[in-house]
Amino acid sequence: MLDCGLDMTSTLNFLPLPLVQNPRLSNLPGWSLKDGNAFLDKELKECSGHVFVDSVPEFCLPETELIDLSTVDVILISNYHCMMALPYITEHTGFTGTVYATEPTVQIGRLLMEELVNFIERVPKAQSASLWKNKDTQRLLPSPLKDAVEVSTWRRCYTMQEVNSALSKIQLVGYSQKIELFGAVQVTPLSSGYALGSSNWIIQSHYEKVSYVSGSSLLTTHPQFSVVFQPMDQASLKNSDVLILTGLTQIPTANPDGMVGEFCSNLALTVRNGGNVLVPCYPSGVIYDLLECLYQYIDSAGLSSIPFYFISPVANSSLEFSQIFAEWLCHNKQTKVYLPEPPFPHAELIQTNKLKHYPSIHGDFSNDFRQPCVVFTGHPSLRFGDVVHFMELWGKSSLNTVIFTEPDFSYLEALAPYQPLAMKCIYCPIDTRLNFIQVSKLLKEVQPLHVVCPEQYTQPPPAQSHRVDLMIDCQPPAMSYRRAEVLALPFRRRYEKIEIMPELADSLVPMEIKPGISLATVSAVLHTKDNKHVLQVPPRGGWGPPPRPAQPTGGKKRKRPSDDIPDCKVLKPLLSGSIPVEQFVQTLEKHGFSDIKVEDTAKGHIVLLQEAETLIQIEEDSTHIICDNDEVLRVRLRDLVLKFLQKF
Amino acid sequence: MDPECSRLLPALCAVLVDPRQPVADDTCLEKLLDWFKTVTEAGPSLLLLQENPCLVELLFRVLKAHDPRPRVLSFSLRLAGLFAAQEDCFQYLQVTPSSSVSQQGELLPMLFGESGPLGGAAWTAPTVRSGWLQGLRSLAQHPGALRFLADCGAVDTIFSLQGDSSLFVASAAGQLLVHILALAMRGPAEGHPSPQGCDWPACAQKIVCHVEDSLRSTATPQVTQALNVLTTTFGHCHSPWTQGLWVRLSPLVACLLEKDPIPASHSLVDLLLSVARSPVGSSDCGLWETLAQTLSHLSPTQAGPLALGILKLQDCPQALKTQAFGVLLQPLACVLKAAAQAPGPPGFPEGATGDSITVDTFLSSKSACVGLLCQALAHLELLQLLPQRPSPWPQAPLLRAAVAILRFCHGSAAPTSDVGGHLCAVLAGCVRVQRAALDFLGTLSQGTGPQELVTQVFAVLLEYLTSPDSSPMVLKKAFQATLRWLLGSPKAPSCCDLDPHTQLFLGELLPVLRKRLCSPCWEARDSGLEFLTQVTRHWGGQAAFRHALLASEVPELTGQLLRDPESYVRASAVTATGQLSSWGLYATPTGPEHPEVQQESLFTELLHILSTDSEGFPRRAVMHVFTQWLKDGHADVAEDLEQFVARVLQAASQDLDWEVRAQGLELALVFLEQLLGQPGSRCPYAVALPEAAPPATLAQVLQALCRVQLFEFALRALFDCDRPVAQKSCDLLLFLKAKATPCGGPQEAGASPDVVSVEAALQRWQAGEQGQPLGELEPEAVMAVLRSMDLEGLRGMLAKSSDHMEKSPQSLLQDMLATVGVLGENEADCY
């Protein structure tokens, strides 16, 4: 299984979970059907023309119907955003396999999960809505609830216990480490340049190679995003039979550099006017980039005195983790670790008190809180986490600004339950993953035989149907797939590699058939175990009938290794070469045959020994001697034929 | 020749031929040749050779050297050519034997004939081949030379050198052929020789036949060589014989058009334009047909330069001009067609309808599409500025096309056609086309357009200014184009204020500018500030602009940028705040940084930058602003003029950057002019001071100058180690002297103690001890010092370049000899 992501956009259909009692949200009117039926009014609430489920938010799980997940042997994780559904799979489907991921992926993934669990568990909500999920009821609901898919499979958030159990099934791997899977294939994680520990995977046998490219970044020349992590390893992706491509940028028209510029400018303008800035974000990832850019920017913009707050239950761990995974960083950042200097400049921001971090708005934060300020906090969906509090607190003033930088959620949908809203909203999605120009360059460089990708990448975005540059352009055209579609990958396994034991190899006597081509007969036992094939020396005694097993002592019949060896007949030598008819006839004449007649046929020749009433049929790959029950004659003729052929 | 040079020359020649001595670098040899050129141009070369036999000996020795060094050999060939340019000297070198070298022979054939370097190992060095060609180029000045060239078979060698691997050699060979052809046609053949060439001199005949053969060749390089020779011929020779040459060769040139692909199309275009510009063009009707034919045969990319060239011609048939203009407009017509929502003519003149060939070019590849568009935009931009641009000028469709291109590049166009979709994919985010289109759009601001189109122009400019994806360079171009369109926009008819559309646009623009001033990208901040400076300079007095600007927070942000970490931005912020302040539009910033700090005046802040900024750009900008303020009578200046000048000069005098000190002198001059009157102002209507101020006033002026310590500043600058500063100071003091002296002023102070101390200080300054101040100065003493100083002499000395001493030929020869130690000074260093 490649990745195990969680679709969190389902939470946009739910009301936000406020940290403190919120009269506005609790007094929203219940929603009733057009005919006035109000049986759903406890579950659904109406806010500014939108309808929301008033319940604990639920998440859309990966497809579980198509295959039995208990039969999955291995899950390969490419980055920490792509493992958020892991507890659902490992704990509730009978999964007994192994999950492979790099160490930073696991550690930061744990932080993301921990934050998610914490956000939801700290504001327990008694109510759990289920009536609206009834298919007949759902049809009557307004959009987008009406169009939500597979709502019956939506699940509440997992617990910390499940997270720990899921993470315990992960086996840590390092870049370029080769992992044997049952002898059948070898998998290798490669740096994908997107996030701390993010990887692409190569799945290969001796003769086939499949690359899985997910969430990669090539931003090497951008001043804002000076490569932070190890750069993407492109060379190892070459010579792939199939390249499965996913995790491209969600906002192909937004250049990350330009967006960071927008982010900084809007931040400065708001703060300068005495307003506060709210940045809904995950506790890891883009926030590092933003802090690094702000580190360089705040002095030039005269913002040195403005406090920056980072509020997350895992803020402290996140900031610390990013500083210690030196081996996963780019060369520049690695060098800093040995100086010793923290690789990310946010350490300096913390030292100089410009950046402060808190586990939540309670406690120390309320003492230190000073406005105007900039707050980074989760969750980007605006449905849970401390961000809900700030939205309620600052939403009424037009001096304040909320800047969306995470591309995962539609900002308009995220804002819907907060309407009417006076604060300014800026959308600066920063997605450093590959765009279509970069994909095109990558594919030219890597040259896979086939590209497989989601259907969406093979056509322009629906809203910009003329932008044919916003789709994958490769030859042969990419094979696309859609949800729940079963796709046959365009290659067949035709060869297996077989090893020859050294003793056996020593015994071979190759014979040159043509210049450069030698053949040798091999007589051996093919031993197959764990998809590994080995040719071993046959047991002593050669290829006669198997040695009679020693009489079992003690009456018990024991299975011996030699019992496995199949019965073999004595092998005759292999023949090669062709029979020159004229010389053959001369030889026959020399040996006393007369009245020889040669006829040409479509496939060769027929030599007729009329006197002996015998016929020798010579074709390219066979010779038949047809005579009437005269075994002596047949053997004589056979030996004459064999004289013209090579044996080995 | 200078006797001293004559004395040094034998030693130098000996060094040059001595293989053990290192050869001076190429620059020295080039300088030496330059010097010989001036010497031979000034007098008879023969005499020079006779007086300096070492020169001929040098040529012989180099020739006979076993393994001549390529540089020296090349030098000798060129030197011989220079001497042989004069006919008597040419003959002398033809026959002269060397006086001291055992071998004898005819020098010139030995140098340039087949027995010379031509066949030797040295010929493999490009510098030798180049020297051989340049030597012949100098030599070929008289009929004797022509005979010599024919006799030694040089012309055939030149033919082969046209295809030399070194581009310099190949180019020189082509030019030499043209030179020989022109020389051959001079004299008896001059006039109107028959095109058949029966009456042409043999040498000319040979060259023309070679060109004809090359034109018939199937090898493109040979065709290119022939075309290049012809291009140079028609470009440089305007004698009547060139007409005959064209009559003879034009059929062959026309034949090239029938080939597919057309060989050497670039060179062909150059030739046709060269012929069209020459006298041949005005008399040959066939040429216009050839040009028309070429235009239609060449690919759109190849035809562009030809079309532009045709449109630049003075006399050219209208039909051809229309065709050429059509070629230039084709790409834009295609764009318009591709962008059109509904079918309809793009509005261009007939002949520019977006033909299929152009469409094919667009579709062939991204680079072809981008190249063609950029070329068309650049050509049209050039054309728009020319007086002979086509009329009527299709302003409206061009505007529409420029807007469409910019929308394609921005991804905001929504084309319905396939070509449109392709263009969209190719141009999206293409910075090169964006820059070219914005430049072109800016140029189009010189014309007018229907209001609906102008609105579109402003809309697309605003898109670019707003877009986070605009690269810094594109943003700069967008600001520049916006400025041009804003300044070109009409004034409201009722009053002098801005028209309502412009006011509306300003309302949208200023928030964008505000955001750009906050950009983390310094180039964006810088472009924003430059734009602000320019627009304020022009509109600072417009009420609508003032109102919008003051309400926009832009002035405060500009003030904030005076402390920007990037020095370019600080410099631009200085200029912008200076400009804003001049119009009373600057309010001291109250940022969140130090809200509690009492804000000082802008003057104090700029003075602080002048005194403390570590980079030169902001400090220079401050000096420019202060000078402008002084000229304009800025309120901060007028408040206490002397205090202003004194503080600025004090800061400038200590600056390490000579440009700041020079600008300080500029400011001092403005101050002086304001006190004493402009130098040479003669306007009879001006209410100006009389030419020399009356004595009483002058005394006050001098007192004032002493108070602001202008004298100390100027006198110190007089001995500045940077020449421009010293020159400026000298000019200033001369101006002061001229103003002060005629009216007598306070007369001779004699050798008063003051004067003595000033002169003593000046001597120390001159000696480089600039630490000591002058102290309190009395005007009388200063004037006395000025009168006693030879300022005119100093100005003359300063006017000479700093290396005038070192540029003499004698110095050159000495340097070259010193390098190899012949002068004997460095012997002790040898071990």
Side-chain angles (χ1 to χ4, degrees):
Chain A
M1 182 169 173
L2 301 175
D3 281 329
C4 191
L6 186 62
D7 181 359
M8 292 199 239
T9 54
S10 57
T11 60
L12 293 173
N13 295 296
F14 292 77
L15 273 184
L17 292 179
L19 283 178
V20 290
Q21 180 61 27
N22 186 306
R24 186 184 74 85
L25 289 174
S26 46
N27 293 333
L28 288 174
W31 182 81
S32 49
L33 293 169
K34 278 181 189 163
D35 59 6
N37 193 333
F39 77 103
L40 285 170
D41 69 344
K42 289 276 183 290
E43 291 198 352
L44 303 181
K45 302 285 179 187
E46 200 167 348
C47 175
S48 300
H50 290 81
V51 176
F52 297 96
V53 183
D54 186 10
S55 164
V56 181
E58 293 179 340
F59 303 98
C60 182
L61 272 52
E63 179 63 51
T64 50
E65 302 296 315
L66 203 61
I67 53 163
D68 179 359
L69 288 172
S70 67
T71 63
V72 171
D73 294 312
V74 167
I75 301 178
L76 304 179
I77 302 293
S78 44
N79 62 65
Y80 46 75
H81 286 297
C82 293
M83 58 183 279
M84 296 298 282
L86 211 51
Y88 293 116
I89 306 297
T90 58
E91 307 310 302
H92 299 287
T93 61
F95 174 82
T96 54
T98 314
V99 183
Y100 290 99
T102 62
E103 190 182 357
T105 302
V106 176
Q107 296 299 354
I108 297 173
R110 177 195 292 277
L111 294 182
L112 292 183
M113 291 179 182
E114 199 179 320
E115 187 193 59
L116 191 65
V117 173
N118 190 308
F119 278 161
I120 291 180
E121 285 186 351
R122 74 183 177 189
V123 277
K125 193 156 185 153
Q127 188 180 355
S128 183
S130 56
L131 287 176
W132 71 277
K133 291 185 182 175
N134 181 298
K135 275 190 178 166
D136 293 331
T137 311
Q138 196 194 354
R139 270 204 300 274
L140 305 172
L141 303 181
S143 285
L145 283 177
K146 184 172 68 177
D147 308 318
V149 271
E150 313 244 359
V151 289
S152 60
T153 65
W154 290 11
R155 291 285 174 271
R156 300 175 70 158
C157 188
Y158 34 71
T159 63
M160 216 41 227
Q161 197 182 357
E162 288 168 326
V163 170
N164 287 331
S165 171
L167 295 182
S168 69
K169 297 184 171 70
I170 299 181
Q171 188 159 334
L172 301 182
V173 290
Y175 286 150
S176 303
Q177 182 183 335
K178 293 178 167 47
I179 304 131
E180 284 286 338
L181 295 186
F182 319 110
V185 289
Q186 200 179 51
V187 294
T188 313
L190 306 171
S191 170
S192 76
Y194 164 56
L196 209 52
S198 67
S199 12
N200 292 321
W201 289 87
I202 298 177
I203 306 160
Q204 61 188 338
S205 65
H206 291 296
Y207 296 99
E208 295 84 19
K209 180 171 172 182
V210 177
S211 298
Y212 172 57
V213 173
S214 162
S216 302
S217 182
L218 282 171
L219 285 182
T220 52
T221 55
H222 290 60
Q224 309 282 3
F225 295 92
S226 53
V227 189
V228 173
F229 317 111
Q230 277 201 18
M232 179 178 176
D233 181 352
Q234 294 183 62
S236 306
L237 298 173
K238 285 185 180 172
N239 304 320
S240 299
D241 295 284
V242 171
L243 187 139
I244 303 172
L245 184 63
T246 183
L248 302 188
T249 176
Q250 301 197 48
I251 321 286
T253 50
N255 169 353
D257 276 342
M259 287 299 138
V260 168
E262 282 290 290
F263 173 81
C264 291
S265 310
N266 284 298
L267 184 145
L269 284 173
T270 305
V271 173
R272 202 181 292 279
N273 285 329
N276 301 293
V277 176
L278 177 61
V279 188
C281 62
Y282 293 114
S284 183
V286 173
I287 187 171
Y288 300 146
D289 297 319
L290 293 178
L291 289 175
E292 183 149 3
C293 290
L294 284 172
Y295 169 75
Q296 295 159 3
Y297 176 68
I298 50 178
D299 287 333
S300 72
L303 302 176
S304 313
S305 61
I306 301 298
F308 289 75
Y309 300 120
F310 176 21
I311 304 171
S312 162
V314 296
N316 189 30
S317 319
S318 169
L319 292 172
E320 282 176 1
F321 270 139
S322 62
Q323 305 286 20
I324 57 171
F325 285 121
E327 60 179 292
W328 305 89
L329 299 174
C330 66
H331 181 72
N332 270 352
K333 299 260 180 212
Q334 279 186 14
T335 339
K336 287 192 165 189
V337 176
Y338 301 110
L339 279 180
E341 210 178 280
F344 288 94
H346 53 240
E348 198 181 320
L349 287 175
I350 294 170
Q351 276 165 15
T352 52
N353 255 343
K354 287 175 184 164
L355 173 67
K356 294 179 179 177
H357 55 91
Y358 305 90
S360 82
I361 54 167
H362 302 299
D364 288 347
F365 174 71
S366 41
N367 299 330
D368 298 348
F369 185 46
R370 195 155 53 81
Q371 300 190 71
C373 64
V374 180
V375 170
F376 296 88
T377 189
H379 184 271
S381 65
L382 305 192
R383 293 301 178 269
F384 38 82
D386 302 274
V387 74
V388 177
H389 178 74
F390 287 100
M391 284 303 296
E392 294 292 344
L393 184 71
W394 290 342
K396 298 172 201 76
S397 167
S398 62
L399 283 179
N400 302 323
T401 305
V402 53
I403 308 182
F404 291 87
T405 55
E406 299 289 354
D408 289 352
F409 301 94
S410 148
Y411 78 104
L412 290 174
E413 286 183 45
L415 289 169
Y418 298 94
Q419 299 298 350
L421 198 66
M423 81 192 294
K424 287 192 284 288
C425 303
I426 307 289
Y427 184 53
C428 300
I430 296 170
D431 196 334
T432 56
R433 286 174 289 181
L434 297 178
N435 63 29
F436 289 98
I437 298 172
Q438 292 163 337
V439 164
S440 171
K441 279 187 190 155
L442 174 73
L443 293 180
K444 269 187 197 147
E445 173 84 21
V446 173
Q447 295 195 325
L449 288 182
H450 299 279
V451 175
V452 175
C453 65
E455 190 183 33
Q456 290 88 329
Y457 296 162
T458 58
Q459 51 209 17
Q464 291 165 298
S465 55
H466 61 284
R467 293 292 299 268
V468 288
D469 54 319
L470 302 183
M471 56 185 269
I472 288 180
D473 176 25
C474 65
Q475 281 306 326
M479 296 177 68
S480 65
Y481 59 87
R482 55 177 72 179
R483 187 187 165 92
E485 185 178 351
V486 177
L487 202 69
L489 291 186
F491 69 90
R492 278 189 309 139
R493 299 195 66 170
R494 291 192 296 172
Y495 298 106
E496 285 287 351
K497 195 167 188 173
I498 298 177
E499 279 182 24
I500 299 182
M501 296 302 285
E503 311 89 78
L504 179 62
D506 274 348
S507 69
L508 299 183
V509 186
M511 207 165 85
E512 194 165 42
I513 300 295
K514 285 180 188 172
I517 297 177
S518 297
L519 291 180
T521 51
V522 183
S523 305
V525 175
L526 178 63
H527 187 264
T528 295
K529 188 182 174 189
D530 287 346
N531 294 305
K532 292 256 181 258
H533 312 288
V534 182
L535 282 180
Q536 295 177 338
V537 183
R540 281 179 197 173
W543 288 111
R548 185 179 293 275
Q551 201 62 31
T553 51
K556 276 190 179 174
K557 190 179 177 184
R558 278 194 187 164
K559 195 174 181 188
R560 293 159 57 98
S562 58
D563 291 349
D564 292 340
I565 300 168
D567 289 351
C568 299
K569 290 176 183 168
V570 175
L571 289 177
K572 290 176 181 170
L574 298 174
L575 304 174
S576 70
S578 58
I579 301 164
V581 178
E582 279 180 28
Q583 287 177 34
F584 180 58
V585 171
Q586 284 167 13
T587 310
L588 287 175
E589 283 169 346
K590 241 185 240 173
H591 283 80
F593 294 98
S594 58
D595 201 10
I596 301 169
K597 198 176 164 191
V598 178
E599 279 179 18
D600 288 347
T601 65
K603 291 179 178 176
H605 309 276
I606 294 176
V607 180
L608 284 170
L609 307 178
Q610 294 183 3
E611 201 174 299
E613 289 184 5
T614 296
L615 186 146
I616 305 168
Q617 197 178 328
I618 302 172
E619 290 179 359
E620 195 181 5
D621 50 4
S622 64
T623 303
H624 289 97
I625 300 166
I626 302 162
C627 58
D628 192 16
N629 264 341
D630 187 348
E631 181 63 10
V632 178
L633 175 64
R634 190 192 70 80
V635 170
R636 236 180 104 201
L637 288 172
R638 184 200 67 184
D639 290 343
L640 289 178
V641 167
L642 287 178
K643 277 187 182 172
F644 287 94
L645 297 173
Q646 291 171 300
K647 301 169 211 49
F648 61 92
Chain B
M1 186 186 284
D2 186 328
E4 180 59 17
C5 291
S6 268
R7 193 184 64 76
L8 292 168
L9 212 47
L12 181 75
C13 290
V15 166
L16 286 176
V17 292
D18 186 349
R20 291 165 305 170
Q21 300 286 6
V23 186
D25 60 35
D26 279 345
T27 330
C28 283
L29 293 177
E30 286 295 330
K31 282 182 186 168
L32 209 54
L33 278 170
D34 284 347
W35 173 56
F36 275 117
K37 193 163 183 241
T38 41
V39 171
T40 53
E41 278 169 2
S45 305
L46 188 55
L47 192 63
L48 180 73
L49 291 188
Q50 285 165 345
E51 285 176 353
N52 299 285
C54 61
L55 288 171
V56 175
E57 200 170 313
L58 164 75
L59 297 178
F60 266 110
R61 278 178 176 273
V62 169
L63 257 181
K64 296 298 169 192
H66 178 61
D67 185 15
R69 287 169 292 179
R71 268 194 230 167
V72 177
L73 183 54
S74 173
F75 167 80
S76 306
L77 288 163
R78 292 170 67 186
L79 188 64
L82 279 180
F83 295 142
Q86 293 176 16
E87 199 154 9
D88 52 351
C89 194
F90 166 76
Q91 278 156 6
Y92 172 77
L93 287 174
Q94 278 266 56
V95 295
T96 191
S98 165
S99 56
S100 60
V101 181
S102 56
Q103 294 92 342
Q104 290 195 355
E106 296 171 336
L107 185 54
L108 285 182
M110 282 166 72
L111 279 168
F112 295 103
E114 280 170 7
S115 59
L118 199 51
W123 192 249
T124 51
T127 175
V128 173
R129 302 198 294 276
S130 175
W132 186 84
L133 287 166
Q134 289 181 59
L136 282 182
R137 172 77 172 74
S138 307
L139 175 152
Q141 303 294 340
H142 36 75
L146 275 183
R147 277 191 301 280
F148 169 71
L149 289 172
D151 294 344
C152 70
V155 178
D156 289 318
T157 311
I158 303 171
F159 288 158
S160 66
L161 286 177
Q162 276 185 291
D164 199 90
S165 57
S166 157
L167 287 179
F168 291 105
V169 173
S171 161
Q175 287 178 12
L176 180 55
L177 280 183
V178 176
H179 179 76
I180 294 171
L181 179 63
L183 178 68
M185 295 302 286
R186 209 190 292 161
E190 205 149 17
H192 290 273
S194 69
Q196 286 71 33
C198 43
D199 51 351
W200 292 32
C203 187
Q205 186 73 317
K206 183 171 184 169
I207 293 174
V208 174
C209 286
H210 169 73
V211 170
E212 283 177 329
D213 291 344
S214 302
L215 286 176
R216 286 193 201 99
S217 164
T218 49
T220 306
Q222 290 209 13
V223 178
T224 311
Q225 289 162 17
L227 291 172
N228 288 346
V229 165
L230 291 177
T231 306
T232 318
T233 307
F234 289 104
H236 290 86
C237 311
H238 295 155
S239 307
W241 62 267
T242 52
Q243 203 154 350
L245 182 67
W246 179 244
V247 172
R248 179 170 167 179
L249 295 179
S250 57
L252 285 175
V253 173
C255 280
L256 294 177
L257 294 176
E258 288 157 18
K259 296 186 181 173
D260 187 26
I262 298 171
S265 56
H266 278 100
S267 302
L268 180 62
V269 167
D270 288 346
L271 169 64
L272 291 176
L273 288 174
S274 176
V275 176
R277 289 185 202 116
S278 76
V280 175
S282 54
S283 56
D284 180 21
C285 302
L287 176 67
W288 306 130
E289 281 166 28
T290 312
L291 282 169
Q293 223 182 336
T294 315
L295 270 182
S296 53
H297 277 63
L298 289 176
S299 74
T301 319
Q302 293 166 333
L306 179 62
L308 180 68
I310 290 172
L311 288 165
K312 280 182 178 173
L313 293 174
Q314 295 292 347
D315 309 306
C316 163
Q318 189 54 42
L320 183 60
K321 283 197 172 187
T322 308
Q323 187 190 354
F325 195 36
V327 167
L328 287 190
L329 293 174
Q330 283 290 359
L332 301 202
C334 263
V335 170
L336 276 184
K337 218 167 159 182
Q341 295 295 331
F348 280 128
E350 232 173 285
T353 48
D355 65 1
S356 59
I357 304 171
T358 313
V359 173
D360 290 347
T361 312
F362 270 155
L363 298 179
S364 64
S365 73
K366 178 172 177 165
S367 60
C369 176
V370 168
L372 181 59
L373 262 184
C374 287
Q375 180 185 279
L377 289 167
H379 285 163
L380 286 167
E381 189 187 338
L382 270 175
L383 200 59
Q384 146 110 0
L385 304 168
L386 296 178
Q388 68 266 38
R389 71 176 196 190
S391 176
W393 181 253
Q395 173 80 358
L398 284 177
L399 270 180
R400 262 198 296 277
V403 169
I405 292 172
L406 286 170
R407 290 213 167 120
F408 275 125
C409 292
H410 192 248
S412 56
T416 45
S417 66
D418 284 350
V419 182
H422 179 80
L423 274 181
C424 202
V426 166
L427 297 182
C430 178
V431 173
R432 217 180 123 201
V433 176
Q434 285 176 357
R435 283 161 50 179
L438 284 166
D439 276 342
F440 180 57
L441 188 64
T443 317
L444 286 177
S445 69
Q446 290 184 344
T448 52
Q451 183 55 47
E452 156 255 331
L453 256 179
V454 175
T455 310
Q456 283 185 31
V457 168
F458 278 118
V460 83
L461 286 172
L462 200 62
E463 263 180 43
Y464 271 76
L465 293 174
T466 314
S467 168
D469 290 339
S470 295
S471 74
M473 182 48 83
V474 168
L475 185 70
K476 191 183 176 80
K477 298 269 180 200
F479 268 126
Q480 286 169 349
T482 308
L483 182 73
R484 297 178 77 168
W485 275 95
L486 278 178
L487 300 184
S489 61
K491 302 273 184 295
S494 55
C495 59
C496 304
D497 215 342
L498 306 173
D499 79 322
H501 293 289
T502 312
Q503 291 188 26
L504 207 64
F505 178 70
L506 266 184
E508 293 177 281
L509 175 70
L510 287 172
V512 176
L513 179 61
R514 198 177 58 142
K515 198 192 279 182
R516 289 300 185 185
L517 293 183
C518 290
S519 168
C521 164
W522 73 264
E523 291 97 331
R525 302 197 293 274
D526 199 45
S527 306
L529 287 169
E530 280 175 5
F531 172 78
L532 175 67
T533 307
Q534 293 300 326
V535 82
T536 309
R537 178 166 296 149
H538 290 92
W539 282 359
Q542 305 279 352
F545 173 73
R546 296 176 64 86
H547 180 73
L549 189 72
L550 287 172
S552 71
E553 208 192 334
V554 166
E556 291 86 340
L557 279 172
T558 311
Q560 183 77 49
L561 292 175
L562 289 173
R563 291 187 285 277
D564 197 277
E566 184 60 51
S567 66
Y568 295 119
V569 179
R570 287 200 300 280
S572 297
V574 165
T575 314
T577 48
Q579 191 60 240
L580 287 171
S581 174
S582 292
W583 290 100
L585 288 165
Y586 182 72
T588 43
T590 49
E593 186 80 340
H594 304 292
E596 71 287 351
V597 177
Q598 180 68 37
Q599 291 298 323
E600 295 168 322
S601 72
L602 180 61
F603 168 62
T604 320
E605 194 156 359
L606 295 187
L607 198 63
H608 181 71
I609 292 176
L610 181 62
S611 323
T612 58
D613 202 301
S614 57
E615 298 282 338
F617 301 109
R619 303 201 307 269
R620 289 179 203 170
V622 169
M623 286 307 295
H624 281 284
V625 167
F626 285 162
T627 312
Q628 196 57 46
W629 280 7
L630 186 61
K631 280 181 185 165
D632 298 347
H634 187 278
D636 277 9
V637 180
E639 206 173 282
D640 189 344
L641 184 61
E642 283 188 22
Q643 170 84 348
F644 169 79
V645 174
R647 289 178 73 182
V648 174
L649 291 187
Q650 192 193 4
S653 67
Q654 288 159 5
D655 206 290
L656 293 175
D657 184 347
W658 71 266
E659 285 196 40
V660 172
R661 299 195 301 277
Q663 191 60 37
L665 288 161
E666 188 68 40
L667 182 134
L669 187 66
V670 172
F671 181 59
L672 268 184
E673 283 168 6
Q674 287 182 351
L675 294 180
L676 294 168
Q678 297 254 335
S681 70
R682 295 258 190 276
C683 176
Y685 309 108
V687 190
L689 293 167
E691 196 162 312
T697 316
L698 183 69
Q700 288 168 358
V701 167
L702 292 175
Q703 286 288 356
L705 297 183
C706 285
R707 280 196 298 276
V708 302
Q709 294 195 315
L710 186 141
F711 284 121
E712 177 156 354
F713 177 65
L715 288 170
R716 213 180 263 275
L718 200 58
F719 304 114
D720 200 289
C721 52
D722 287 296
R723 204 156 53 92
V725 179
Q727 271 178 313
K728 243 184 166 53
S729 167
C730 197
D731 290 343
L732 181 133
L733 291 172
L734 276 166
F735 167 65
L736 181 63
K737 194 173 164 184
K739 286 283 177 185
T741 314
C743 56
Q747 276 308 313
E748 298 297 324
S752 71
D754 270 357
V755 176
V756 174
S757 72
V758 170
E759 282 177 342
L762 291 184
Q763 277 167 6
R764 278 195 299 278
W765 287 357
Q766 197 162 11
E769 298 168 36
Q770 296 245 343
Q772 194 184 345
L774 272 184
E776 287 289 316
L777 280 179
E778 285 302 319
E780 296 81 5
V782 175
M783 289 317 297
V785 170
L786 281 188
R787 273 192 293 273
S788 69
M789 283 174 84
D790 178 17
L791 287 172
E792 281 84 1
L794 188 61
R795 177 155 73 175
M797 208 179 78
L798 288 168
K800 289 181 185 167
S801 70
S802 53
D803 63 344
H804 71 276
M805 290 298 283
E806 286 71 36
K807 264 172 84 177
S808 68
Q810 187 184 328
S811 158
L812 174 67
L813 297 179
Q814 280 170 341
D815 281 353
M816 290 177 77
L817 289 172
T819 317
V820 291
V822 170
L823 293 181
E825 286 167 4
N826 300 329
E827 277 169 15
D829 292 337
C830 302
Y831 291 91

